[in-house]
Amino acid sequence: MPPKIKIEPRFRKAKKADTNILKTLIREYYRFDGQQVSNDKIASSLTFALQDNPYVSIWLIDVADNVAGYLVIAIGFTIEAGGKDGFLDELFLREPFRGSGVGRKAIEFAIALCPTLEIQRLSLEVENHKTRARRLYEDIGFFAHDRLLMSYWIT
């Protein structure tokens, strides 16, 4: 049996010049996840995020010469965590890179990034039926709360 090829992703902070590839990746993610998001919301989110913004950090994930995906960390505040709170808002990998260990490395990268952003706690959400993703997050050390995430749309 041939030796398993070790995949080493590279993470690079997204810039305004990455807007088009991010739009493509975001559309792919939402299509994959069975959700809908308008092009206007994608455009306004990227306009907000890709300026020098202390509230969000977007990273592209490259493998060899391919853009494999992206991750987004939103930064907030909570007394419970003792200060800054991070939320792994989105993590998306294109199909050829799923199950290769790149997702685990992306999460580990996000966790390692937190001290540089002064984040005390990193949270994420996962849908109940996505057992593979949930197992990965639990294996890394994420845990479920006895709380229910609730939302209210302002607009």
Side-chain angles (χ1 to χ4, degrees):
M1 178 159 66
K4 188 173 182 178
I5 298 171
K6 188 174 182 181
I7 296 177
E8 285 301 326
R10 289 185 333 274
F11 302 91
R12 60 184 169 93
K13 192 158 172 58
K15 300 177 182 149
K16 286 182 186 178
D18 298 310
T19 298
N20 287 336
I21 186 62
L22 281 166
K23 285 180 179 179
T24 299
L25 290 166
I26 291 167
R27 285 186 201 105
E28 287 177 22
Y29 169 62
Y30 280 84
R31 195 169 32 253
F32 165 75
D33 210 36
Q35 298 184 53
Q36 301 229 353
V37 65
S38 72
N39 289 331
D40 288 344
K41 284 188 178 181
I42 294 171
S44 68
S45 295
L46 290 176
T47 297
F48 177 78
L50 295 177
Q51 56 191 345
D52 191 19
N53 193 318
Y55 304 109
V56 64
S57 187
I58 300 179
W59 294 80
L60 288 164
I61 305 166
D62 293 329
V63 174
D65 293 327
N66 301 296
V67 178
Y70 72 100
L71 64 87
V72 179
I73 298 176
I75 302 166
F77 173 85
T78 177
I79 291 172
E80 179 182 359
K84 284 187 180 178
D85 182 57
F87 188 80
L88 184 55
D89 182 54
E90 293 188 4
L91 169 58
F92 174 70
L93 292 175
R94 288 176 154 165
E95 178 63 36
F97 304 99
R98 295 181 201 141
S100 67
V102 174
R104 174 180 293 276
K105 289 178 182 178
I107 296 164
E108 290 169 349
F109 171 80
I111 291 168
L113 186 64
C114 287
T116 68
L117 299 172
E118 300 176 339
I119 291 172
Q120 306 298 313
R121 175 181 70 186
L122 183 65
S123 301
L124 55 77
E125 65 182 351
V126 62
E127 295 176 30
N128 284 326
H129 70 275
K130 295 195 174 181
T131 55
R132 189 168 147 201
R134 186 172 179 167
R135 274 195 311 268
L136 171 63
Y137 300 143
E138 289 171 342
D139 185 53
I140 289 172
F142 285 87
F143 57 93
H145 293 268
D146 289 332
R147 299 177 183 158
L148 176 64
L149 176 67
M150 299 176 72
S151 301
Y152 181 90
W153 286 104
I154 303 302
T155 54

